[in-house]
Amino acid sequence: MTQVAQVVVDVATRQTDQPYDYAIPDDLVSVVTPGMRVVVPFGRRRLQGFVVGIQDHAAFDGKLKPIQQVMDLEPALDHELLALSKWVANTTFAFWITTMQTMLPAAMRAKYARLLVRTDQFPADDAWGRQLFGRSQTIPYPEDLTAAQTKQLRQWADQDAVRVEYKVKNQARAKTRKGVHAPTAAVLAQVTVPNRAKAQQKLLTGLQQAPFAGTLTYAQAAQHYDVSEATIHTAEEAGWLQPATLTIRRNPLDAQTERDAPKSLTPDQTAATDQFVTAVTNKQAHTFLLEGVTGSGKTEVYLQTIQAALDQGRTALMLVPEIALTPQMVHRVYARFGTAVAVLHSGLSDGEKYDEWRRIQHQQAKIVVGARSAVFAPLTNIGVIIIDEEHESSYKQDDSPRYHARNVALHRAKTFHCPVILGSATPSLESRARAEKGVYTLVRLPERINERPLPPVHIIDMRQAGGARVTPDFSPELLSALENTLAKHEQSVLMLNRRGYSAQAMCRNCGWIAKCPNCDISLTVHLAAHKLVCHYCGHEAPIPTRCPVCHSDKIRFFGTGTEKIEDQLQKLLPTARILRMDADSTRKKGGHARILKAFGSGQADILLGTQMIAKGLDFPTVTLVGVINADTALGMPDFRASERTFQLLTQVAGRAGRGDKPGAVIIQTYNPDHYAIQLASHQDYESFFRREMVVRHQGKYPPYYYTVLLTISAPSESVTAQEAYRIAGDLKPLLSKTAIVLGPTPRSITRVNNRYYYQILVKFKKEPALGRGLHNLLTNSQSLAKNHVQVAIDFEPQQIM
DNA sequence: AGCACGCCGACT
DNA sequence: GTCGGCGTGCTC
């Protein structure tokens, strides 16, 4: 009886998004397991694929090709993750292969090499052929061949003089070090070393007096016995130490971290922890919404709940926004749980991520802390899942697979029968509304632990301040507050809401504006690099000295970029040391942490930056927080604009005066009466929630309605529009009367990278047939592929623009 | 995604 | 007459 494996192949297209049947060779029958990565022939290529099932009969009635090799000794995805990958693919309209790849560390994603091999038929006298191959039998397939060369190769291929081979490479490799096994006393007793070999003798007596167990690396052994690594090597050559290969963890975290003990809890914290622990113990797949202001001690509640899960022999998963995954935060978890913690964040190299992933898979790590993708950590027996700052939009991935970590967490929790804790000072409306309906249990931590009052918040009306303003961007109030803070040798943080406010180059004479040739958007001026950059496609151009239209030399810059604000500020406060933190200054690896560290150690007086400084920043030394333009987000045509503004301002306001000195917050705005700004200044989440719910109800938006955004794009605008209308037309008959279809409309920036984008937004309450319908619509649509049309489906999009 | 098969314009 | 353009269709 032949065994047949169903394999999903590494080709992410709609046509190939299905399992293919492969014969399992006899010698692999006992090895091949669902969840394993295998190499299979596909057409004339060789590809990586995932085994998703094993059967004794093929559904395919052609000749089956055999699996070529297995890439794993144990399945890369266990049963739970395999099923989860299928579920995520279905619910996010992604390809199955894409969701499976997403679950693995980057180092485990296949790399393909195309090789050219010459046979003994290969003509020895051909000049180009000799140059091409040199002495090698196999070479990488040559790039950029001329037409004549391609033809020559094809001819040789026909004559069996050359053949093309495909190789699947697995880059994942544990890092190893040379080491030695512990020798037995019996072996040591028999060793003789010459008298003059002082180092050897020292090592030998050392080993006899203080033997070690297991294995040590060369370096460890050398240090331990105070000899050189060469001495260890010599002993190994002499044969009385046995060589060993040790797997090294690339990311050895500060092993010296001092362990801390659980802190005593306030009555509120105790009540919350008790509820969570009960749910862990009773294996309830229940969701809690932990609503607690900044400084109310949510983290301690998390840590003690995790401890309870560990005590019951279970594991824990804790998600944190990437930006909040700071060394301080990570340190806190280590201090409590030591090496049982694995951390997954973007600062790790691929190799380090792979090591952490393996530690989790091998159950050496019981607690996983990480950003969005850590929700797929290969934990088994999960006892609790925590999502901190649950309102953060970064939990939703904005390219395929467009999953929301919160939804994935809820699904895994059901599988493991464990509770989910969603924590936030400003919960998303979706979550807070579910708590209102009793779907989630609302748990509150209303008080700050040290009862430190919230800093006073001043709202500056920038419409009024017009005449008095020192510069267009600084009100007198903000400037004098900055001066005072500087005089007191205290630190300030200034936030600039950059969206839509980047510096542009314009001709004062004719009004010409530098635009991107590939996108419908103006280029942004980067003074430091002295060039124009498109933030959408990355196109770069030099800053012109003369206008290309009227040839005048009156090119000026306008708009408010962080760079420009920094210049203004430096002129206004010549003695201030200003540190700028934005996408440009943090691009390099670790740039973010480096800037924060410099500021934390007092190397600057003012930290100027974009939204990223509102989050993951915790410096007790900061006494003034200024927001230069609070309301740029409010002008966005997005129903979440108010929610975002409220969350951001509430968060920023919580940053001032965390230490002993009182703080102050100054918010400059053109909408001083807007409820999001008013309520944020009072940190009044509950009122904001009630108010915003009314708005959402009237607008038929989440949480009252679900949304699905279809984005249709193609290189031709007419094709894009035509397909968008066709899709909208096909969609409407599938929907009930309560559903609303908006669009198609061109996206606000219609052309990006020479593709045109149209959108359709569907709002609905309950459409059981919609998911299936959308799938069918795309699978059956032949015209799409033909016209290079791409359709992206985003369930519950975070950005609608 | 690749890769091949297949049917129409500018070259040896 | 052939080379080669990229439209169309398949990969277990």
Coordinates of all heavy atoms in Angstrom, one line a residue, chain A residues 173-237:
Chain A
R173 N 20.3 27.2 11.0 CA 21.4 26.4 11.6 C 21.6 26.9 13.0 O 21.6 28.1 13.3 CB 22.6 26.7 10.7 CG 23.4 25.5 10.4 CD 24.5 25.9 9.4 NE 24.0 26.0 8.0 CZ 23.6 24.9 7.3 NH1 23.6 23.7 7.8 NH2 23.2 25.1 6.1
A174 N 21.7 25.9 13.8 CA 22.0 26.3 15.2 C 23.5 26.7 15.3 O 24.3 26.2 14.5 CB 21.7 25.1 16.2
K175 N 23.8 27.6 16.1 CA 25.2 28.1 16.2 C 25.9 27.1 17.1 O 25.4 26.7 18.2 CB 25.2 29.5 16.8 CG 26.6 30.1 16.8 CD 26.4 31.5 17.2 CE 27.8 32.2 17.4 NZ 27.6 33.6 17.7
T176 N 27.1 26.6 16.7 CA 27.8 25.6 17.5 C 29.1 26.1 17.9 O 29.7 27.0 17.2 CB 27.9 24.3 16.8 OG1 28.6 24.5 15.5 CG2 26.6 23.7 16.5
R177 N 29.7 25.6 18.9 CA 31.0 25.8 19.4 C 31.7 24.5 19.7 O 31.0 23.5 20.0 CB 31.0 26.6 20.7 CG 30.7 28.1 20.5 CD 32.0 28.8 20.2 NE 31.7 30.1 19.5 CZ 31.2 31.2 20.1 NH1 31.0 31.2 21.4 NH2 31.0 32.2 19.4
K178 N 33.0 24.5 19.5 CA 33.7 23.3 19.9 C 33.8 23.2 21.4 O 34.0 24.3 22.1 CB 35.1 23.3 19.3 CG 35.1 22.9 17.8 CD 36.4 23.2 17.2 CE 37.3 22.0 17.3 NZ 38.6 22.3 16.5
G179 N 33.7 22.0 21.9 CA 33.8 21.9 23.4 C 34.3 20.5 23.7 O 34.8 19.8 22.9
V180 N 34.3 20.2 25.0 CA 34.8 18.9 25.5 C 33.8 18.3 26.5 O 33.1 19.0 27.2 CB 36.2 19.1 26.1 CG1 37.2 19.3 25.1 CG2 36.2 20.1 27.2
H181 N 33.8 17.0 26.5 CA 33.0 16.3 27.4 C 33.8 16.2 28.7 O 35.0 16.1 28.7 CB 32.7 14.8 26.9 CG 31.7 14.8 25.8 ND1 30.4 15.0 26.0 CD2 31.9 14.5 24.5 CE1 29.8 14.9 24.8 NE2 30.7 14.6 23.9
A182 N 33.1 16.0 29.8 CA 33.7 15.8 31.1 C 34.4 14.4 31.1 O 33.7 13.4 30.8 CB 32.7 15.9 32.2
P183 N 35.7 14.4 31.5 CA 36.3 13.1 31.6 C 36.0 12.4 32.9 O 35.7 13.0 33.9 CB 37.8 13.5 31.5 CG 37.9 14.9 32.1 CD 36.5 15.5 31.8
T184 N 36.0 11.1 32.8 CA 35.8 10.3 34.1 C 37.0 10.3 34.9 O 38.1 10.5 34.4 CB 35.3 8.9 33.8 OG1 36.4 8.2 33.1 CG2 34.1 8.8 33.0
A185 N 36.9 10.1 36.2 CA 38.0 10.0 37.1 C 39.0 8.9 36.7 O 40.2 9.1 36.7 CB 37.6 9.8 38.5
A186 N 38.4 7.8 36.2 CA 39.2 6.7 35.8 C 40.2 7.1 34.6 O 41.3 6.7 34.6 CB 38.3 5.5 35.4
V187 N 39.6 7.8 33.7 CA 40.4 8.2 32.5 C 41.5 9.2 33.0 O 42.7 9.0 32.7 CB 39.5 9.0 31.5 CG1 40.4 9.7 30.5 CG2 38.6 8.0 30.8
L188 N 41.2 10.1 33.9 CA 42.1 11.1 34.3 C 43.3 10.4 35.1 O 44.4 10.8 35.0 CB 41.5 12.1 35.3 CG 40.5 13.1 34.6 CD1 39.9 14.0 35.6 CD2 41.3 13.9 33.5
A189 N 43.0 9.3 35.8 CA 44.0 8.6 36.6 C 45.0 8.0 35.8 O 46.2 7.9 36.2 CB 43.3 7.6 37.5
Q190 N 44.7 7.7 34.5 CA 45.6 7.0 33.7 C 46.5 8.0 32.8 O 47.4 7.6 32.1 CB 44.9 6.1 32.7 CG 44.4 4.9 33.4 CD 43.6 4.0 32.5 OE1 43.7 4.1 31.3 NE2 42.8 3.1 33.1
V191 N 46.1 9.3 32.9 CA 46.8 10.2 32.0 C 48.2 10.5 32.5 O 48.4 10.7 33.7 CB 46.0 11.5 32.0 CG1 46.7 12.6 31.2 CG2 44.6 11.3 31.4
T192 N 49.1 10.5 31.6 CA 50.5 11.0 32.0 C 50.8 12.1 31.1 O 50.7 12.1 29.9 CB 51.5 9.8 31.8 OG1 51.3 9.3 30.5 CG2 51.4 8.8 32.8
V193 N 51.3 13.2 31.7 CA 51.8 14.3 30.9 C 53.2 14.6 31.3 O 53.6 14.4 32.5 CB 50.9 15.6 31.1 CG1 49.6 15.4 30.5 CG2 50.8 16.0 32.6
P194 N 54.1 15.0 30.4 CA 55.5 15.2 30.7 C 55.6 16.3 31.7 O 54.7 17.2 31.8 CB 56.0 15.7 29.3 CG 55.0 15.3 28.3 CD 53.7 15.2 29.0
N195 N 56.6 16.3 32.5 CA 56.9 17.3 33.6 C 56.9 18.7 33.0 O 56.5 19.7 33.7 CB 58.2 17.0 34.3 CG 57.9 16.0 35.4 OD1 56.8 15.8 35.8 ND2 59.0 15.3 35.8
R196 N 57.5 18.9 31.8 CA 57.7 20.2 31.4 C 56.4 20.8 30.8 O 56.3 22.0 30.6 CB 58.8 20.3 30.3 CG 58.6 19.3 29.1 CD 59.8 19.0 28.3 NE 59.6 18.0 27.4 CZ 58.9 18.1 26.3 NH1 58.4 19.3 25.9 NH2 58.7 17.1 25.5
A197 N 55.4 20.0 30.6 CA 54.1 20.5 30.1 C 53.3 21.1 31.3 O 52.4 20.5 31.8 CB 53.4 19.4 29.4
K198 N 53.7 22.2 31.7 CA 53.2 22.8 32.9 C 51.6 23.1 32.8 O 50.9 22.8 33.7 CB 53.9 24.2 33.2 CG 55.3 24.0 33.6 CD 55.4 23.5 35.0 CE 56.9 23.4 35.4 NZ 57.4 22.0 35.7
A199 N 51.3 23.6 31.6 CA 49.9 23.9 31.4 C 49.0 22.7 31.4 O 47.9 22.7 32.1 CB 49.7 24.7 30.1
Q200 N 49.5 21.6 30.8 CA 48.7 20.4 30.8 C 48.6 19.8 32.2 O 47.5 19.4 32.6 CB 49.5 19.3 29.9 CG 49.5 19.7 28.5 CD 48.2 19.4 27.8 OE1 47.8 18.2 27.7 NE2 47.5 20.4 27.3
Q201 N 49.6 19.9 33.0 CA 49.6 19.5 34.4 C 48.6 20.3 35.2 O 47.8 19.7 36.0 CB 50.9 19.6 35.0 CG 51.9 18.6 34.4 CD 53.1 18.2 35.3 OE1 53.5 19.1 36.0 NE2 53.5 17.0 35.2
K202 N 48.6 21.6 34.9 CA 47.7 22.4 35.7 C 46.2 22.0 35.4 O 45.4 21.9 36.3 CB 47.9 23.9 35.3 CG 47.1 24.9 36.0 CD 47.5 26.3 35.6 CE 46.6 27.3 36.3 NZ 46.9 28.7 35.8
L203 N 46.0 21.8 34.1 CA 44.6 21.4 33.7 C 44.3 20.1 34.3 O 43.1 19.9 34.8 CB 44.6 21.3 32.1 CG 43.3 20.8 31.5 CD1 42.1 21.7 31.9 CD2 43.4 20.7 30.0
L204 N 45.2 19.1 34.3 CA 44.9 17.8 34.8 C 44.6 17.8 36.3 O 43.6 17.3 36.7 CB 46.1 16.9 34.5 CG 46.0 15.4 35.0 CD1 44.8 14.8 34.3 CD2 47.3 14.7 34.7
T205 N 45.4 18.5 37.1 CA 45.1 18.6 38.5 C 43.9 19.3 38.7 O 43.1 19.0 39.6 CB 46.3 19.3 39.3 OG1 46.8 20.3 38.5 CG2 47.4 18.3 39.6
G206 N 43.6 20.4 37.9 CA 42.4 21.1 38.1 C 41.2 20.2 37.9 O 40.2 20.2 38.7
L207 N 41.3 19.4 36.8 CA 40.1 18.5 36.5 C 39.9 17.5 37.7 O 38.8 17.1 38.0 CB 40.4 17.8 35.2 CG 40.1 18.6 34.0 CD1 40.7 17.9 32.7 CD2 38.6 18.8 33.8
Q208 N 41.1 17.0 38.2 CA 41.0 16.0 39.3 C 40.4 16.6 40.6 O 39.6 16.0 41.2 CB 42.3 15.4 39.5 CG 42.7 14.4 38.5 CD 44.2 14.0 38.5 OE1 45.0 14.8 38.9 NE2 44.5 12.8 38.0
Q209 N 40.8 17.8 40.8 CA 40.3 18.4 42.1 C 38.9 19.0 41.9 O 38.1 18.9 42.9 CB 41.3 19.5 42.5 CG 42.5 19.0 43.2 CD 43.6 20.0 43.2 OE1 43.4 21.2 42.9 NE2 44.8 19.5 43.5
A210 N 38.6 19.6 40.8 CA 37.3 20.2 40.6 C 36.7 19.7 39.3 O 36.7 20.5 38.3 CB 37.4 21.7 40.6
P211 N 36.2 18.4 39.2 CA 35.7 18.0 37.9 C 34.4 18.7 37.6 O 33.7 19.2 38.5 CB 35.4 16.5 38.2 CG 35.4 16.4 39.7 CD 36.1 17.5 40.3
F212 N 34.1 18.8 36.3 CA 32.8 19.3 35.9 C 31.9 18.2 35.3 O 32.4 17.1 35.1 CB 33.0 20.5 34.9 CG 33.5 20.0 33.5 CD1 32.6 19.8 32.5 CD2 34.9 19.8 33.3 CE1 33.1 19.4 31.2 CE2 35.4 19.4 32.0 CZ 34.5 19.2 31.0
A213 N 30.7 18.5 35.2 CA 29.8 17.5 34.6 C 29.3 17.9 33.2 O 29.3 19.1 32.9 CB 28.6 17.4 35.6
G214 N 29.0 17.0 32.4 CA 28.4 17.3 31.1 C 29.5 17.8 30.1 O 30.5 17.1 30.0
T215 N 29.2 18.9 29.5 CA 30.1 19.5 28.5 C 30.4 20.9 28.8 O 29.6 21.6 29.5 CB 29.5 19.4 27.1 OG1 28.2 20.0 27.2 CG2 29.4 18.0 26.6
L216 N 31.6 21.4 28.4 CA 32.0 22.8 28.4 C 32.5 23.2 27.1 O 33.1 22.4 26.4 CB 33.1 23.0 29.5 CG 32.7 22.9 31.0 CD1 33.9 23.2 31.8 CD2 31.6 23.9 31.3
T217 N 32.3 24.5 26.7 CA 33.0 24.9 25.5 C 34.5 25.1 25.8 O 34.9 25.2 27.0 CB 32.4 26.3 25.0 OG1 32.7 27.3 26.0 CG2 30.9 26.2 24.8
Y218 N 35.3 25.2 24.7 CA 36.7 25.5 24.9 C 36.9 26.7 25.8 O 37.7 26.7 26.8 CB 37.3 25.8 23.6 CG 37.9 24.6 22.8 CD1 37.2 23.4 22.9 CD2 39.0 24.7 22.0 CE1 37.7 22.3 22.3 CE2 39.5 23.7 21.3 CZ 38.8 22.4 21.4 OH 39.3 21.4 20.7
A219 N 36.1 27.8 25.5 CA 36.3 29.0 26.3 C 36.0 28.8 27.7 O 36.7 29.3 28.6 CB 35.5 30.1 25.6
Q220 N 34.9 28.1 28.0 CA 34.4 27.9 29.3 C 35.4 27.1 30.1 O 35.8 27.5 31.2 CB 33.1 27.2 29.4 CG 31.9 28.1 29.0 CD 30.6 27.3 28.7 OE1 30.7 26.1 28.4 NE2 29.5 27.9 28.9
A221 N 35.9 26.0 29.5 CA 36.9 25.1 30.1 C 38.2 25.9 30.4 O 38.7 25.8 31.5 CB 37.1 23.9 29.2
A222 N 38.6 26.7 29.4 CA 39.8 27.4 29.6 C 39.7 28.4 30.8 O 40.6 28.5 31.6 CB 40.2 28.2 28.3
Q223 N 38.6 29.1 30.9 CA 38.4 30.0 31.9 C 38.3 29.3 33.3 O 38.9 29.7 34.3 CB 37.1 30.8 31.7 CG 37.1 32.1 32.4 CD 35.7 32.7 32.6 OE1 34.7 32.1 32.1 NE2 35.5 33.8 33.3
H224 N 37.6 28.2 33.3 CA 37.3 27.5 34.5 C 38.6 27.0 35.1 O 38.8 27.0 36.4 CB 36.4 26.3 34.1 CG 35.6 25.8 35.3 ND1 36.1 24.9 36.2 CD2 34.3 26.0 35.6 CE1 35.2 24.6 37.1 NE2 34.1 25.3 36.8
Y225 N 39.5 26.5 34.3 CA 40.7 25.9 34.9 C 41.9 26.8 34.7 O 43.1 26.4 34.9 CB 41.0 24.5 34.2 CG 39.8 23.6 34.6 CD1 38.9 23.2 33.7 CD2 39.8 23.1 35.9 CE1 37.8 22.4 34.1 CE2 38.7 22.3 36.3 CZ 37.7 21.9 35.4 OH 36.7 21.1 35.7
D226 N 41.7 28.1 34.3 CA 42.7 29.1 34.1 C 43.9 28.6 33.3 O 45.0 28.7 33.7 CB 43.2 29.5 35.6 CG 44.0 30.8 35.5 OD1 43.9 31.5 34.5 OD2 44.9 30.9 36.3
V227 N 43.5 28.1 32.1 CA 44.6 27.7 31.1 C 44.1 28.3 29.8 O 43.0 28.9 29.7 CB 44.7 26.2 31.0 CG1 45.3 25.6 32.2 CG2 43.4 25.6 30.6
S228 N 44.9 28.2 28.8 CA 44.5 28.8 27.5 C 43.7 27.8 26.7 O 43.7 26.6 27.0 CB 45.7 29.2 26.7 OG 46.4 28.0 26.2
E229 N 43.0 28.3 25.7 CA 42.1 27.3 24.9 C 43.0 26.4 24.2 O 42.6 25.2 23.9 CB 41.3 28.1 23.9 CG 40.2 28.9 24.6 CD 39.2 29.5 23.6 OE1 38.9 28.9 22.6 OE2 38.7 30.6 23.9
A230 N 44.2 26.8 23.9 CA 45.2 25.9 23.2 C 45.5 24.7 24.0 O 45.7 23.6 23.5 CB 46.5 26.7 22.8
T231 N 45.6 24.9 25.3 CA 45.8 23.8 26.3 C 44.7 22.8 26.2 O 45.0 21.6 26.2 CB 46.0 24.4 27.7 OG1 46.9 25.5 27.7 CG2 46.5 23.3 28.6
I232 N 43.5 23.3 26.2 CA 42.4 22.3 26.1 C 42.5 21.5 24.8 O 42.3 20.3 24.8 CB 41.0 23.1 26.1 CG1 40.9 24.1 27.2 CG2 39.8 22.2 26.1 CD1 40.8 23.6 28.6
H233 N 42.8 22.3 23.7 CA 42.9 21.6 22.5 C 44.0 20.5 22.5 O 43.8 19.4 22.0 CB 43.2 22.7 21.4 CG 43.2 22.1 20.0 ND1 42.1 21.7 19.4 CD2 44.2 21.9 19.1 CE1 42.4 21.2 18.2 NE2 43.7 21.4 18.0
T234 N 45.2 20.9 23.1 CA 46.3 19.9 23.2 C 45.8 18.6 23.9 O 46.1 17.5 23.5 CB 47.5 20.5 23.9 OG1 47.7 21.8 23.3 CG2 48.7 19.6 23.8
A235 N 45.1 18.8 25.0 CA 44.6 17.7 25.8 C 43.6 16.8 25.0 O 43.7 15.6 25.1 CB 43.9 18.2 27.1
E236 N 42.9 17.5 24.1 CA 42.0 16.8 23.3 C 42.7 16.0 22.2 O 42.4 14.8 22.0 CB 41.0 17.8 22.6 CG 39.9 17.1 21.9 CD 39.2 18.1 20.9 OE1 38.7 19.1 21.3 OE2 39.3 17.8 19.7
E237 N 43.8 16.6 21.7 CA 44.6 15.9 20.7 C 45.3 14.7 21.3 O 45.4 13.7 20.7 CB 45.7 16.9 20.2 CG 45.1 18.1 19.5 CD 45.5 18.1 18.0 OE1 46.6 18.4 17.7 OE2 44.5 17.8 17.2

